[in-house]
Amino acid sequence: MRNTGGSHTSVVGCVVTFVVVGACLMVSVVAALPATVVTSSWAQRTQVRVVLPQSWAFFTRDPQTPSLVLYRSGRGRAARADTLPQTSLANWLGLSRSQRSQDTEKAILASEVTDWVDCSALDAVDCLTRVGTHAAQEVSGVRRDPNFCGTYVLALRQTTPFNYRRASRVEAQPTRAAKIAVRCP
């Protein structure tokens, strides 16, 4: 004769766990949603957000945040020095995670730049051409496993707001840039 008491206990425990986790998930989703006619009077919204701070910003980056782009100049045109997109063959169709360190390295390089060229009144081509004529600033870069060594143009690009995409031909416009020479160990 089999003892079924243990399996009954595990089924009850599993159901209780799913109910509790489901209720917490539902409360956190309702608290993260903006106020509506139905949920505007819910006074506990801020208390729930303190305990469960999830929102879309928790998972994603603001698309209006300026981005750093590194250009390799040569043959009369500038090409991006980073390996994008993540799903390219150079990144093993997304299996290689080495590309993830490139944004951090670009931020480290940007923190060492002292002489930026204002490009807010120039288009991208004119900005890169103008910056290319300047002397390169020496920056040290990262010490271990650097992705970038040599001379580059580092540009801070502002993304065109979504509402104005149809009015503009460019997706992102450099606001400032600098020519840098990255020293590697």
Side-chain angles (χ1 to χ4, degrees):
M1 185 180 232
R2 292 188 318 172
N3 182 2
T4 59
S7 69
H8 177 69
T9 304
S10 64
V11 168
V12 170
C14 211
V15 169
V16 169
T17 301
F18 280 124
V19 168
V20 170
V21 169
C24 287
L25 181 63
M26 188 175 78
V27 168
S28 71
V29 167
V30 170
L33 293 174
T36 65
V37 174
V38 177
T39 61
S40 64
S41 63
W42 193 35
Q44 292 80 14
R45 179 184 302 270
T46 51
Q47 288 86 6
V48 171
R49 286 184 179 170
V50 168
V51 177
L52 303 168
Q54 289 89 350
S55 65
W56 286 115
F58 184 80
F59 298 105
T60 62
R61 180 177 81 93
D62 180 14
Q64 299 301 318
T65 303
S67 60
L68 289 168
V69 180
L70 209 57
Y71 294 99
R72 183 182 300 115
S73 58
R75 296 189 194 136
R77 61 182 270 251
R80 287 186 70 144
D82 50 7
T83 56
L84 287 175
Q86 179 66 28
T87 57
S88 69
L89 286 176
N91 291 319
W92 301 348
L93 301 174
L95 294 175
S96 170
R97 302 320 252 172
S98 63
Q99 187 266 340
R100 300 282 183 168
S101 66
Q102 292 180 7
D103 283 338
T104 305
E105 188 171 343
K106 287 185 284 187
I108 291 169
L109 295 173
S111 70
E112 296 182 30
V113 174
T114 56
D115 186 26
W116 290 93
V117 175
D118 182 27
C119 292
S120 55
L122 303 171
D123 67 356
V125 175
D126 292 339
C127 175
L128 295 176
T129 303
R130 182 176 172 192
V131 171
T133 62
H134 286 80
Q137 300 174 54
E138 290 266 335
V139 292
S140 61
V142 296
R143 300 192 194 299
R144 204 175 105 190
D145 297 327
N147 290 302
F148 309 110
C149 293
T151 304
Y152 300 96
V153 172
L154 181 64
L156 182 69
R157 295 188 334 166
Q158 181 65 45
T159 305
T160 303
F162 184 76
N163 295 342
Y164 301 104
R165 290 267 170 98
R166 292 186 183 186
S168 176
R169 290 190 334 233
V170 293
E171 181 181 310
Q173 177 64 34
T175 54
R176 60 184 185 161
K179 187 174 182 180
I180 60 172
V182 183
R183 290 188 312 256
C184 291

